Structures are given as C-alpha cells and as structure tokens.
Amino acid sequence: MPRGRYSLHDPHDHAPLGEEHFQCATGPTGWRYVAQLTSPSGEHSGSVDLTLDELGRPLRLELNAASWRVRGAALDGVTWVRTDPAGEHATEGNVAAHAFTGTSPAFLVATARLLRLAPGAPATRVRLVAFTAPVLAPRTLDQSWALLERTAHPTDSGPLTVDEYQVTALDTGERHSVHIAGDVVLAAPGIELEDLESPPSSFAENFPPPDA
C-alpha cells in the first residue's frame, strides 16, 4: 500500500500550491486513493477520495476544498453533485464523459488505468470533467493520451516499470509528459513526488486486458 507525499505547484510560474499526503491500494475489484491536502503554510486545505472499479471507471469520487464539496461517479457518463460552503444549495451535473480529472495526481493514474494504452499505439482521445480548487467548479475538456515508452528500472526491491505518457490538451494543443509507475506519479507538470514509503502497487494482476 503506497503512502507518501506530493508537492504541488503552478505549472506555469512554479508558485507553490501546497502538498498532498496520500495512500492508495489495489484490490480484487479496483483501486482506492485517499489524500489530505495542505496549503503552502501547512494548514489543511482539502481532501481527495477516489475509488475505481476493475476497468478504471470512477465508482466514487469525493473532493473537498475551501468548504466546497463534490461527490461523483460514473453514471450515464459521469454525474456529480456540488455543494456550496454553507451547505444550503446543491447543484447536480451530468456530462457524456469518460471520467473525472483535477489537480490531484490520482486523476492521472485513474486516466492511465481507464485507457490501458500499449506502448507505441496511436493516441487515444478522452473526455474528462475537471474540478479545480478553490471552488471545485466543473469544466469539460478533451485530451489525447499516448504511451510513448515503458521502461524497467532496477531497484533494491526489483525492477520498477515506468510508463511515459504524452498528454495533449485538444483545445490548446499544449503537450506535456507524465511519468507513472504502477499507481504512483513520478513526475508531471505541477507535481513532484517528495516522499514514498513503499514501492508502487502493480495493476497487472487486478486489471483485465482491454479485450477481456
């Protein structure tokens, strides 16, 4: 069960956004990721709780930030309920999209698991609903993902397989690289893995191949 800490910063001006203290685990029915967020000053600023099914679809999502809350799941596309800080109003949304995304590294792992790309295969288009701090307002976006390379790196506990993805924002054409090992993001724009207490989990035995 990987447990560790990411530092988050603005990918454009590198201003610090805080830290995400996480733990995650695979199981026979999917994957769960939970995290607590802190501000640059060290104060609690939110939380992430994401559960995927065995195909990588979001079974349950709960985000909290600045007293805003979002709960969502894959239902007729993706469906969510967003609640204001006072708890007086809740708005429901539904979009014909594949999954959710946001600033948490969990969403990069989730998208990679959903797509299950092969190295060198053509890029795959995916529609996502993004929730970003501080008010968790929803925004639908389209991305293109391609798995450029899969490399095994020797470690004291055995080979570590690292996947390098190229992610393209289809509205702007902006491209960036994402490096993922199992269920841990090693590097991505705005994300740095600062601490990891145990090796990443492998999805190989828990996720069937795409044609299963």
PDB file of all heavy atoms in Angstrom, residues 98-103 107-108 110-112 115 117 123-130 139-146 165-176 178:
ATOM      1  N   HIS A  98     -15.887  10.385 -20.013  1.00  0.00           N
ATOM      2  CA  HIS A  98     -15.349   9.091 -19.600  1.00  0.00           C
ATOM      3  C   HIS A  98     -15.031   9.031 -18.108  1.00  0.00           C
ATOM      4  O   HIS A  98     -15.156   7.984 -17.484  1.00  0.00           O
ATOM      5  CB  HIS A  98     -14.086   8.766 -20.399  1.00  0.00           C
ATOM      6  CG  HIS A  98     -14.315   8.669 -21.871  1.00  0.00           C
ATOM      7  ND1 HIS A  98     -14.140   9.740 -22.721  1.00  0.00           N
ATOM      8  CD2 HIS A  98     -14.729   7.635 -22.646  1.00  0.00           C
ATOM      9  CE1 HIS A  98     -14.416   9.364 -23.961  1.00  0.00           C
ATOM     10  NE2 HIS A  98     -14.783   8.101 -23.941  1.00  0.00           N
ATOM     11  N   ALA A  99     -14.564  10.163 -17.540  1.00  0.00           N
ATOM     12  CA  ALA A  99     -14.096  10.147 -16.156  1.00  0.00           C
ATOM     13  C   ALA A  99     -13.910  11.578 -15.673  1.00  0.00           C
ATOM     14  O   ALA A  99     -14.234  12.544 -16.371  1.00  0.00           O
ATOM     15  CB  ALA A  99     -12.793   9.350 -16.035  1.00  0.00           C
ATOM     16  N   PHE A 100     -13.343  11.683 -14.452  1.00  0.00           N
ATOM     17  CA  PHE A 100     -13.071  12.981 -13.846  1.00  0.00           C
ATOM     18  C   PHE A 100     -11.580  13.278 -13.892  1.00  0.00           C
ATOM     19  O   PHE A 100     -10.745  12.390 -14.056  1.00  0.00           O
ATOM     20  CB  PHE A 100     -13.528  12.996 -12.386  1.00  0.00           C
ATOM     21  CG  PHE A 100     -14.991  12.740 -12.192  1.00  0.00           C
ATOM     22  CD1 PHE A 100     -15.426  11.528 -11.663  1.00  0.00           C
ATOM     23  CD2 PHE A 100     -15.932  13.696 -12.538  1.00  0.00           C
ATOM     24  CE1 PHE A 100     -16.781  11.282 -11.471  1.00  0.00           C
ATOM     25  CE2 PHE A 100     -17.285  13.464 -12.355  1.00  0.00           C
ATOM     26  CZ  PHE A 100     -17.714  12.259 -11.818  1.00  0.00           C
ATOM     27  N   THR A 101     -11.237  14.560 -13.695  1.00  0.00           N
ATOM     28  CA  THR A 101      -9.844  14.938 -13.533  1.00  0.00           C
ATOM     29  C   THR A 101      -9.765  16.170 -12.636  1.00  0.00           C
ATOM     30  O   THR A 101     -10.783  16.720 -12.231  1.00  0.00           O
ATOM     31  CB  THR A 101      -9.151  15.185 -14.895  1.00  0.00           C
ATOM     32  OG1 THR A 101      -7.741  15.291 -14.679  1.00  0.00           O
ATOM     33  CG2 THR A 101      -9.666  16.454 -15.557  1.00  0.00           C
ATOM     34  N   GLY A 102      -8.544  16.577 -12.311  1.00  0.00           N
ATOM     35  CA  GLY A 102      -8.328  17.709 -11.429  1.00  0.00           C
ATOM     36  C   GLY A 102      -6.853  17.850 -11.138  1.00  0.00           C
ATOM     37  O   GLY A 102      -6.009  17.282 -11.833  1.00  0.00           O
ATOM     38  N   THR A 103      -6.527  18.590 -10.076  1.00  0.00           N
ATOM     39  CA  THR A 103      -5.125  18.844  -9.768  1.00  0.00           C
ATOM     40  C   THR A 103      -4.446  17.681  -9.058  1.00  0.00           C
ATOM     41  O   THR A 103      -3.222  17.599  -9.026  1.00  0.00           O
ATOM     42  CB  THR A 103      -4.987  20.112  -8.904  1.00  0.00           C
ATOM     43  OG1 THR A 103      -5.813  19.957  -7.739  1.00  0.00           O
ATOM     44  CG2 THR A 103      -5.434  21.343  -9.674  1.00  0.00           C
ATOM     45  N   PHE A 107      -5.811  11.574 -10.390  1.00  0.00           N
ATOM     46  CA  PHE A 107      -6.564  11.575 -11.643  1.00  0.00           C
ATOM     47  C   PHE A 107      -5.703  11.157 -12.827  1.00  0.00           C
ATOM     48  O   PHE A 107      -6.209  10.605 -13.808  1.00  0.00           O
ATOM     49  CB  PHE A 107      -7.169  12.950 -11.886  1.00  0.00           C
ATOM     50  CG  PHE A 107      -8.232  13.320 -10.887  1.00  0.00           C
ATOM     51  CD1 PHE A 107      -8.039  14.354 -10.003  1.00  0.00           C
ATOM     52  CD2 PHE A 107      -9.419  12.604 -10.832  1.00  0.00           C
ATOM     53  CE1 PHE A 107      -9.016  14.692  -9.075  1.00  0.00           C
ATOM     54  CE2 PHE A 107     -10.405  12.932  -9.910  1.00  0.00           C
ATOM     55  CZ  PHE A 107     -10.205  13.978  -9.019  1.00  0.00           C
ATOM     56  N   LEU A 108      -4.401  11.409 -12.765  1.00  0.00           N
ATOM     57  CA  LEU A 108      -3.512  10.951 -13.827  1.00  0.00           C
ATOM     58  C   LEU A 108      -3.417   9.432 -13.820  1.00  0.00           C
ATOM     59  O   LEU A 108      -3.477   8.780 -14.872  1.00  0.00           O
ATOM     60  CB  LEU A 108      -2.121  11.578 -13.660  1.00  0.00           C
ATOM     61  CG  LEU A 108      -2.055  13.100 -13.783  1.00  0.00           C
ATOM     62  CD1 LEU A 108      -0.644  13.584 -13.477  1.00  0.00           C
ATOM     63  CD2 LEU A 108      -2.499  13.552 -15.171  1.00  0.00           C
ATOM     64  N   ALA A 110      -5.696   7.459 -12.609  1.00  0.00           N
ATOM     65  CA  ALA A 110      -7.014   6.964 -12.976  1.00  0.00           C
ATOM     66  C   ALA A 110      -7.221   6.974 -14.492  1.00  0.00           C
ATOM     67  O   ALA A 110      -7.756   6.017 -15.060  1.00  0.00           O
ATOM     68  CB  ALA A 110      -8.090   7.798 -12.293  1.00  0.00           C
ATOM     69  N   THR A 111      -6.796   8.038 -15.155  1.00  0.00           N
ATOM     70  CA  THR A 111      -6.956   8.111 -16.613  1.00  0.00           C
ATOM     71  C   THR A 111      -6.095   7.058 -17.309  1.00  0.00           C
ATOM     72  O   THR A 111      -6.530   6.409 -18.265  1.00  0.00           O
ATOM     73  CB  THR A 111      -6.611   9.513 -17.133  1.00  0.00           C
ATOM     74  OG1 THR A 111      -7.428  10.483 -16.467  1.00  0.00           O
ATOM     75  CG2 THR A 111      -6.837   9.618 -18.631  1.00  0.00           C
ATOM     76  N   ALA A 112      -4.872   6.888 -16.809  1.00  0.00           N
ATOM     77  CA  ALA A 112      -3.998   5.859 -17.385  1.00  0.00           C
ATOM     78  C   ALA A 112      -4.608   4.472 -17.235  1.00  0.00           C
ATOM     79  O   ALA A 112      -4.561   3.650 -18.159  1.00  0.00           O
ATOM     80  CB  ALA A 112      -2.621   5.914 -16.721  1.00  0.00           C
ATOM     81  N   LEU A 115      -7.595   4.033 -19.732  1.00  0.00           N
ATOM     82  CA  LEU A 115      -7.221   3.889 -21.149  1.00  0.00           C
ATOM     83  C   LEU A 115      -6.432   2.614 -21.410  1.00  0.00           C
ATOM     84  O   LEU A 115      -6.542   2.027 -22.493  1.00  0.00           O
ATOM     85  CB  LEU A 115      -6.418   5.104 -21.598  1.00  0.00           C
ATOM     86  CG  LEU A 115      -7.162   6.440 -21.526  1.00  0.00           C
ATOM     87  CD1 LEU A 115      -6.246   7.581 -21.950  1.00  0.00           C
ATOM     88  CD2 LEU A 115      -8.422   6.416 -22.390  1.00  0.00           C
ATOM     89  N   LEU A 117      -3.293   1.908 -22.267  1.00  0.00           N
ATOM     90  CA  LEU A 117      -2.665   2.028 -23.573  1.00  0.00           C
ATOM     91  C   LEU A 117      -1.474   1.082 -23.719  1.00  0.00           C
ATOM     92  O   LEU A 117      -0.836   0.707 -22.737  1.00  0.00           O
ATOM     93  CB  LEU A 117      -2.204   3.471 -23.787  1.00  0.00           C
ATOM     94  CG  LEU A 117      -3.306   4.535 -23.712  1.00  0.00           C
ATOM     95  CD1 LEU A 117      -2.695   5.920 -23.785  1.00  0.00           C
ATOM     96  CD2 LEU A 117      -4.324   4.335 -24.828  1.00  0.00           C
ATOM     97  N   ALA A 123      -2.474   7.569 -30.356  1.00  0.00           N
ATOM     98  CA  ALA A 123      -3.027   8.335 -29.242  1.00  0.00           C
ATOM     99  C   ALA A 123      -4.537   8.118 -29.149  1.00  0.00           C
ATOM    100  O   ALA A 123      -5.216   7.912 -30.157  1.00  0.00           O
ATOM    101  CB  ALA A 123      -2.714   9.816 -29.419  1.00  0.00           C
ATOM    102  N   THR A 124      -5.038   8.158 -27.923  1.00  0.00           N
ATOM    103  CA  THR A 124      -6.460   7.950 -27.657  1.00  0.00           C
ATOM    104  C   THR A 124      -7.065   9.225 -27.089  1.00  0.00           C
ATOM    105  O   THR A 124      -6.507   9.832 -26.175  1.00  0.00           O
ATOM    106  CB  THR A 124      -6.664   6.792 -26.669  1.00  0.00           C
ATOM    107  OG1 THR A 124      -6.176   5.587 -27.249  1.00  0.00           O
ATOM    108  CG2 THR A 124      -8.134   6.627 -26.321  1.00  0.00           C
ATOM    109  N   ARG A 125      -8.217   9.589 -27.613  1.00  0.00           N
ATOM    110  CA  ARG A 125      -8.914  10.779 -27.146  1.00  0.00           C
ATOM    111  C   ARG A 125      -9.815  10.405 -25.961  1.00  0.00           C
ATOM    112  O   ARG A 125     -10.469   9.367 -25.967  1.00  0.00           O
ATOM    113  CB  ARG A 125      -9.751  11.376 -28.269  1.00  0.00           C
ATOM    114  CG  ARG A 125     -10.547  12.614 -27.882  1.00  0.00           C
ATOM    115  CD  ARG A 125     -11.170  13.244 -29.105  1.00  0.00           C
ATOM    116  NE  ARG A 125     -11.939  14.437 -28.769  1.00  0.00           N
ATOM    117  CZ  ARG A 125     -12.191  15.427 -29.613  1.00  0.00           C
ATOM    118  NH1 ARG A 125     -11.736  15.364 -30.856  1.00  0.00           N
ATOM    119  NH2 ARG A 125     -12.901  16.472 -29.231  1.00  0.00           N
ATOM    120  N   VAL A 126      -9.843  11.292 -24.962  1.00  0.00           N
ATOM    121  CA  VAL A 126     -10.662  11.049 -23.783  1.00  0.00           C
ATOM    122  C   VAL A 126     -11.311  12.358 -23.346  1.00  0.00           C
ATOM    123  O   VAL A 126     -10.684  13.423 -23.390  1.00  0.00           O
ATOM    124  CB  VAL A 126      -9.813  10.428 -22.646  1.00  0.00           C
ATOM    125  CG1 VAL A 126      -8.682  11.357 -22.225  1.00  0.00           C
ATOM    126  CG2 VAL A 126     -10.681  10.073 -21.450  1.00  0.00           C
ATOM    127  N   ARG A 127     -12.584  12.285 -22.979  1.00  0.00           N
ATOM    128  CA  ARG A 127     -13.309  13.468 -22.477  1.00  0.00           C
ATOM    129  C   ARG A 127     -13.430  13.360 -20.967  1.00  0.00           C
ATOM    130  O   ARG A 127     -13.872  12.332 -20.435  1.00  0.00           O
ATOM    131  CB  ARG A 127     -14.687  13.572 -23.121  1.00  0.00           C
ATOM    132  CG  ARG A 127     -15.559  14.687 -22.532  1.00  0.00           C
ATOM    133  CD  ARG A 127     -16.664  15.103 -23.469  1.00  0.00           C
ATOM    134  NE  ARG A 127     -16.109  15.797 -24.631  1.00  0.00           N
ATOM    135  CZ  ARG A 127     -16.851  16.298 -25.619  1.00  0.00           C
ATOM    136  NH1 ARG A 127     -18.174  16.172 -25.580  1.00  0.00           N
ATOM    137  NH2 ARG A 127     -16.281  16.927 -26.635  1.00  0.00           N
ATOM    138  N   LEU A 128     -13.051  14.425 -20.277  1.00  0.00           N
ATOM    139  CA  LEU A 128     -12.998  14.430 -18.819  1.00  0.00           C
ATOM    140  C   LEU A 128     -13.730  15.649 -18.264  1.00  0.00           C
ATOM    141  O   LEU A 128     -13.807  16.691 -18.918  1.00  0.00           O
ATOM    142  CB  LEU A 128     -11.539  14.464 -18.341  1.00  0.00           C
ATOM    143  CG  LEU A 128     -10.628  13.339 -18.862  1.00  0.00           C
ATOM    144  CD1 LEU A 128      -9.181  13.651 -18.551  1.00  0.00           C
ATOM    145  CD2 LEU A 128     -11.034  11.995 -18.282  1.00  0.00           C
ATOM    146  N   VAL A 129     -14.229  15.516 -17.046  1.00  0.00           N
ATOM    147  CA  VAL A 129     -14.782  16.653 -16.317  1.00  0.00           C
ATOM    148  C   VAL A 129     -13.794  17.014 -15.224  1.00  0.00           C
ATOM    149  O   VAL A 129     -13.476  16.190 -14.360  1.00  0.00           O
ATOM    150  CB  VAL A 129     -16.159  16.324 -15.712  1.00  0.00           C
ATOM    151  CG1 VAL A 129     -16.641  17.477 -14.836  1.00  0.00           C
ATOM    152  CG2 VAL A 129     -17.170  16.055 -16.819  1.00  0.00           C
ATOM    153  N   ALA A 130     -13.273  18.242 -15.275  1.00  0.00           N
ATOM    154  CA  ALA A 130     -12.257  18.696 -14.339  1.00  0.00           C
ATOM    155  C   ALA A 130     -12.889  19.513 -13.213  1.00  0.00           C
ATOM    156  O   ALA A 130     -13.779  20.335 -13.446  1.00  0.00           O
ATOM    157  CB  ALA A 130     -11.220  19.551 -15.071  1.00  0.00           C
ATOM    158  N   ARG A 139     -15.572  21.705 -15.311  1.00  0.00           N
ATOM    159  CA  ARG A 139     -15.267  22.121 -16.681  1.00  0.00           C
ATOM    160  C   ARG A 139     -14.993  20.878 -17.509  1.00  0.00           C
ATOM    161  O   ARG A 139     -14.207  20.026 -17.114  1.00  0.00           O
ATOM    162  CB  ARG A 139     -14.051  23.053 -16.693  1.00  0.00           C
ATOM    163  CG  ARG A 139     -13.671  23.539 -18.097  1.00  0.00           C
ATOM    164  CD  ARG A 139     -12.589  24.609 -18.009  1.00  0.00           C
ATOM    165  NE  ARG A 139     -11.328  24.095 -17.512  1.00  0.00           N
ATOM    166  CZ  ARG A 139     -10.332  23.665 -18.278  1.00  0.00           C
ATOM    167  NH1 ARG A 139     -10.467  23.665 -19.612  1.00  0.00           N
ATOM    168  NH2 ARG A 139      -9.203  23.228 -17.761  1.00  0.00           N
ATOM    169  N   THR A 140     -15.651  20.757 -18.644  1.00  0.00           N
ATOM    170  CA  THR A 140     -15.450  19.602 -19.528  1.00  0.00           C
ATOM    171  C   THR A 140     -14.303  19.892 -20.481  1.00  0.00           C
ATOM    172  O   THR A 140     -14.237  20.967 -21.076  1.00  0.00           O
ATOM    173  CB  THR A 140     -16.731  19.303 -20.321  1.00  0.00           C
ATOM    174  OG1 THR A 140     -17.809  19.078 -19.410  1.00  0.00           O
ATOM    175  CG2 THR A 140     -16.558  18.068 -21.188  1.00  0.00           C
ATOM    176  N   LEU A 141     -13.391  18.938 -20.623  1.00  0.00           N
ATOM    177  CA  LEU A 141     -12.251  19.123 -21.512  1.00  0.00           C
ATOM    178  C   LEU A 141     -11.926  17.824 -22.228  1.00  0.00           C
ATOM    179  O   LEU A 141     -12.281  16.742 -21.781  1.00  0.00           O
ATOM    180  CB  LEU A 141     -11.039  19.653 -20.739  1.00  0.00           C
ATOM    181  CG  LEU A 141     -10.574  18.872 -19.508  1.00  0.00           C
ATOM    182  CD1 LEU A 141      -9.632  17.745 -19.893  1.00  0.00           C
ATOM    183  CD2 LEU A 141      -9.886  19.801 -18.522  1.00  0.00           C
ATOM    184  N   ASP A 142     -11.248  17.957 -23.354  1.00  0.00           N
ATOM    185  CA  ASP A 142     -10.829  16.808 -24.155  1.00  0.00           C
ATOM    186  C   ASP A 142      -9.305  16.737 -24.191  1.00  0.00           C
ATOM    187  O   ASP A 142      -8.636  17.753 -24.412  1.00  0.00           O
ATOM    188  CB  ASP A 142     -11.367  16.917 -25.585  1.00  0.00           C
ATOM    189  CG  ASP A 142     -12.875  16.798 -25.641  1.00  0.00           C
ATOM    190  OD1 ASP A 142     -13.400  15.795 -25.147  1.00  0.00           O
ATOM    191  OD2 ASP A 142     -13.526  17.723 -26.162  1.00  0.00           O
ATOM    192  N   GLN A 143      -8.788  15.535 -23.977  1.00  0.00           N
ATOM    193  CA  GLN A 143      -7.349  15.307 -24.028  1.00  0.00           C
ATOM    194  C   GLN A 143      -7.050  14.146 -24.957  1.00  0.00           C
ATOM    195  O   GLN A 143      -7.913  13.319 -25.250  1.00  0.00           O
ATOM    196  CB  GLN A 143      -6.796  14.993 -22.628  1.00  0.00           C
ATOM    197  CG  GLN A 143      -6.862  16.134 -21.645  1.00  0.00           C
ATOM    198  CD  GLN A 143      -6.301  15.740 -20.287  1.00  0.00           C
ATOM    199  OE1 GLN A 143      -6.201  14.563 -19.952  1.00  0.00           O
ATOM    200  NE2 GLN A 143      -5.924  16.740 -19.504  1.00  0.00           N
ATOM    201  N   SER A 144      -5.791  14.090 -25.386  1.00  0.00           N
ATOM    202  CA  SER A 144      -5.278  12.965 -26.144  1.00  0.00           C
ATOM    203  C   SER A 144      -4.122  12.358 -25.352  1.00  0.00           C
ATOM    204  O   SER A 144      -3.216  13.077 -24.934  1.00  0.00           O
ATOM    205  CB  SER A 144      -4.800  13.432 -27.520  1.00  0.00           C
ATOM    206  OG  SER A 144      -4.141  12.387 -28.208  1.00  0.00           O
ATOM    207  N   TRP A 145      -4.165  11.045 -25.128  1.00  0.00           N
ATOM    208  CA  TRP A 145      -3.121  10.348 -24.375  1.00  0.00           C
ATOM    209  C   TRP A 145      -2.431   9.327 -25.277  1.00  0.00           C
ATOM    210  O   TRP A 145      -3.090   8.598 -26.021  1.00  0.00           O
ATOM    211  CB  TRP A 145      -3.728   9.607 -23.188  1.00  0.00           C
ATOM    212  CG  TRP A 145      -4.024  10.475 -21.996  1.00  0.00           C
ATOM    213  CD1 TRP A 145      -4.874  11.535 -21.944  1.00  0.00           C
ATOM    214  CD2 TRP A 145      -3.474  10.324 -20.686  1.00  0.00           C
ATOM    215  NE1 TRP A 145      -4.891  12.060 -20.681  1.00  0.00           N
ATOM    216  CE2 TRP A 145      -4.049  11.336 -19.887  1.00  0.00           C
ATOM    217  CE3 TRP A 145      -2.574   9.431 -20.105  1.00  0.00           C
ATOM    218  CZ2 TRP A 145      -3.732  11.480 -18.533  1.00  0.00           C
ATOM    219  CZ3 TRP A 145      -2.259   9.573 -18.760  1.00  0.00           C
ATOM    220  CH2 TRP A 145      -2.828  10.585 -17.987  1.00  0.00           C
ATOM    221  N   ALA A 146      -1.113   9.290 -25.185  1.00  0.00           N
ATOM    222  CA  ALA A 146      -0.320   8.285 -25.893  1.00  0.00           C
ATOM    223  C   ALA A 146       0.756   7.764 -24.949  1.00  0.00           C
ATOM    224  O   ALA A 146       1.386   8.548 -24.224  1.00  0.00           O
ATOM    225  CB  ALA A 146       0.322   8.868 -27.139  1.00  0.00           C
ATOM    226  N   TYR A 165       3.907   8.946 -20.626  1.00  0.00           N
ATOM    227  CA  TYR A 165       2.763   9.331 -21.449  1.00  0.00           C
ATOM    228  C   TYR A 165       2.960  10.732 -22.011  1.00  0.00           C
ATOM    229  O   TYR A 165       3.577  11.588 -21.369  1.00  0.00           O
ATOM    230  CB  TYR A 165       1.476   9.333 -20.626  1.00  0.00           C
ATOM    231  CG  TYR A 165       1.043   7.983 -20.120  1.00  0.00           C
ATOM    232  CD1 TYR A 165       1.481   7.511 -18.881  1.00  0.00           C
ATOM    233  CD2 TYR A 165       0.199   7.174 -20.861  1.00  0.00           C
ATOM    234  CE1 TYR A 165       1.079   6.272 -18.403  1.00  0.00           C
ATOM    235  CE2 TYR A 165      -0.207   5.932 -20.399  1.00  0.00           C
ATOM    236  CZ  TYR A 165       0.239   5.492 -19.164  1.00  0.00           C
ATOM    237  OH  TYR A 165      -0.155   4.262 -18.702  1.00  0.00           O
ATOM    238  N   GLN A 166       2.429  10.945 -23.201  1.00  0.00           N
ATOM    239  CA  GLN A 166       2.320  12.293 -23.749  1.00  0.00           C
ATOM    240  C   GLN A 166       0.845  12.669 -23.724  1.00  0.00           C
ATOM    241  O   GLN A 166       0.006  11.986 -24.310  1.00  0.00           O
ATOM    242  CB  GLN A 166       2.844  12.359 -25.176  1.00  0.00           C
ATOM    243  CG  GLN A 166       2.790  13.783 -25.757  1.00  0.00           C
ATOM    244  CD  GLN A 166       3.302  13.825 -27.175  1.00  0.00           C
ATOM    245  OE1 GLN A 166       2.585  13.511 -28.116  1.00  0.00           O
ATOM    246  NE2 GLN A 166       4.567  14.186 -27.328  1.00  0.00           N
ATOM    247  N   VAL A 167       0.545  13.748 -23.021  1.00  0.00           N
ATOM    248  CA  VAL A 167      -0.828  14.210 -22.866  1.00  0.00           C
ATOM    249  C   VAL A 167      -0.973  15.534 -23.602  1.00  0.00           C
ATOM    250  O   VAL A 167      -0.188  16.462 -23.393  1.00  0.00           O
ATOM    251  CB  VAL A 167      -1.192  14.382 -21.381  1.00  0.00           C
ATOM    252  CG1 VAL A 167      -2.642  14.857 -21.237  1.00  0.00           C
ATOM    253  CG2 VAL A 167      -0.981  13.068 -20.624  1.00  0.00           C
ATOM    254  N   THR A 168      -1.977  15.616 -24.467  1.00  0.00           N
ATOM    255  CA  THR A 168      -2.212  16.816 -25.271  1.00  0.00           C
ATOM    256  C   THR A 168      -3.583  17.379 -24.942  1.00  0.00           C
ATOM    257  O   THR A 168      -4.587  16.661 -24.961  1.00  0.00           O
ATOM    258  CB  THR A 168      -2.148  16.495 -26.770  1.00  0.00           C
ATOM    259  OG1 THR A 168      -0.887  15.893 -27.074  1.00  0.00           O
ATOM    260  CG2 THR A 168      -2.315  17.766 -27.601  1.00  0.00           C
ATOM    261  N   ALA A 169      -3.617  18.673 -24.628  1.00  0.00           N
ATOM    262  CA  ALA A 169      -4.895  19.367 -24.449  1.00  0.00           C
ATOM    263  C   ALA A 169      -5.430  19.726 -25.830  1.00  0.00           C
ATOM    264  O   ALA A 169      -4.806  20.501 -26.561  1.00  0.00           O
ATOM    265  CB  ALA A 169      -4.702  20.619 -23.607  1.00  0.00           C
ATOM    266  N   LEU A 170      -6.564  19.165 -26.207  1.00  0.00           N
ATOM    267  CA  LEU A 170      -7.035  19.316 -27.577  1.00  0.00           C
ATOM    268  C   LEU A 170      -7.594  20.706 -27.859  1.00  0.00           C
ATOM    269  O   LEU A 170      -7.739  21.072 -29.029  1.00  0.00           O
ATOM    270  CB  LEU A 170      -8.085  18.242 -27.891  1.00  0.00           C
ATOM    271  CG  LEU A 170      -7.549  16.806 -27.857  1.00  0.00           C
ATOM    272  CD1 LEU A 170      -8.635  15.827 -28.236  1.00  0.00           C
ATOM    273  CD2 LEU A 170      -6.345  16.641 -28.788  1.00  0.00           C
ATOM    274  N   ASP A 171      -7.908  21.491 -26.835  1.00  0.00           N
ATOM    275  CA  ASP A 171      -8.403  22.844 -27.087  1.00  0.00           C
ATOM    276  C   ASP A 171      -7.279  23.828 -27.359  1.00  0.00           C
ATOM    277  O   ASP A 171      -7.457  24.813 -28.074  1.00  0.00           O
ATOM    278  CB  ASP A 171      -9.272  23.339 -25.929  1.00  0.00           C
ATOM    279  CG  ASP A 171      -8.545  23.293 -24.596  1.00  0.00           C
ATOM    280  OD1 ASP A 171      -7.486  22.638 -24.506  1.00  0.00           O
ATOM    281  OD2 ASP A 171      -9.046  23.914 -23.630  1.00  0.00           O
ATOM    282  N   THR A 172      -6.091  23.557 -26.807  1.00  0.00           N
ATOM    283  CA  THR A 172      -4.968  24.486 -26.981  1.00  0.00           C
ATOM    284  C   THR A 172      -3.798  23.881 -27.744  1.00  0.00           C
ATOM    285  O   THR A 172      -2.929  24.604 -28.230  1.00  0.00           O
ATOM    286  CB  THR A 172      -4.441  24.965 -25.616  1.00  0.00           C
ATOM    287  OG1 THR A 172      -3.907  23.839 -24.897  1.00  0.00           O
ATOM    288  CG2 THR A 172      -5.562  25.602 -24.799  1.00  0.00           C
ATOM    289  N   GLY A 173      -3.742  22.542 -27.825  1.00  0.00           N
ATOM    290  CA  GLY A 173      -2.603  21.879 -28.451  1.00  0.00           C
ATOM    291  C   GLY A 173      -1.398  21.750 -27.542  1.00  0.00           C
ATOM    292  O   GLY A 173      -0.368  21.212 -27.945  1.00  0.00           O
ATOM    293  N   GLU A 174      -1.502  22.225 -26.304  1.00  0.00           N
ATOM    294  CA  GLU A 174      -0.382  22.146 -25.363  1.00  0.00           C
ATOM    295  C   GLU A 174      -0.098  20.690 -25.000  1.00  0.00           C
ATOM    296  O   GLU A 174      -1.018  19.921 -24.710  1.00  0.00           O
ATOM    297  CB  GLU A 174      -0.701  22.950 -24.103  1.00  0.00           C
ATOM    298  CG  GLU A 174       0.412  22.950 -23.072  1.00  0.00           C
ATOM    299  CD  GLU A 174       0.059  23.751 -21.840  1.00  0.00           C
ATOM    300  OE1 GLU A 174      -1.086  24.243 -21.749  1.00  0.00           O
ATOM    301  OE2 GLU A 174       0.932  23.893 -20.965  1.00  0.00           O
ATOM    302  N   ARG A 175       1.182  20.313 -25.000  1.00  0.00           N
ATOM    303  CA  ARG A 175       1.581  18.945 -24.698  1.00  0.00           C
ATOM    304  C   ARG A 175       2.491  18.904 -23.481  1.00  0.00           C
ATOM    305  O   ARG A 175       3.261  19.826 -23.237  1.00  0.00           O
ATOM    306  CB  ARG A 175       2.321  18.324 -25.888  1.00  0.00           C
ATOM    307  CG  ARG A 175       1.459  18.098 -27.117  1.00  0.00           C
ATOM    308  CD  ARG A 175       2.274  17.455 -28.230  1.00  0.00           C
ATOM    309  NE  ARG A 175       1.428  17.143 -29.383  1.00  0.00           N
ATOM    310  CZ  ARG A 175       1.886  16.600 -30.499  1.00  0.00           C
ATOM    311  NH1 ARG A 175       3.172  16.291 -30.610  1.00  0.00           N
ATOM    312  NH2 ARG A 175       1.062  16.359 -31.507  1.00  0.00           N
ATOM    313  N   HIS A 176       2.378  17.820 -22.733  1.00  0.00           N
ATOM    314  CA  HIS A 176       3.294  17.629 -21.615  1.00  0.00           C
ATOM    315  C   HIS A 176       3.461  16.135 -21.360  1.00  0.00           C
ATOM    316  O   HIS A 176       2.678  15.307 -21.842  1.00  0.00           O
ATOM    317  CB  HIS A 176       2.799  18.346 -20.356  1.00  0.00           C
ATOM    318  CG  HIS A 176       1.461  17.877 -19.870  1.00  0.00           C
ATOM    319  ND1 HIS A 176       0.279  18.496 -20.220  1.00  0.00           N
ATOM    320  CD2 HIS A 176       1.109  16.843 -19.059  1.00  0.00           C
ATOM    321  CE1 HIS A 176      -0.738  17.880 -19.643  1.00  0.00           C
ATOM    322  NE2 HIS A 176      -0.266  16.870 -18.938  1.00  0.00           N
ATOM    323  N   VAL A 178       3.951  12.835 -18.715  1.00  0.00           N
ATOM    324  CA  VAL A 178       3.575  12.308 -17.406  1.00  0.00           C
ATOM    325  C   VAL A 178       4.279  10.968 -17.230  1.00  0.00           C
ATOM    326  O   VAL A 178       4.201  10.102 -18.110  1.00  0.00           O
ATOM    327  CB  VAL A 178       2.048  12.126 -17.294  1.00  0.00           C
ATOM    328  CG1 VAL A 178       1.686  11.416 -15.991  1.00  0.00           C
ATOM    329  CG2 VAL A 178       1.329  13.461 -17.392  1.00  0.00           C
TER     330      VAL A 178
END
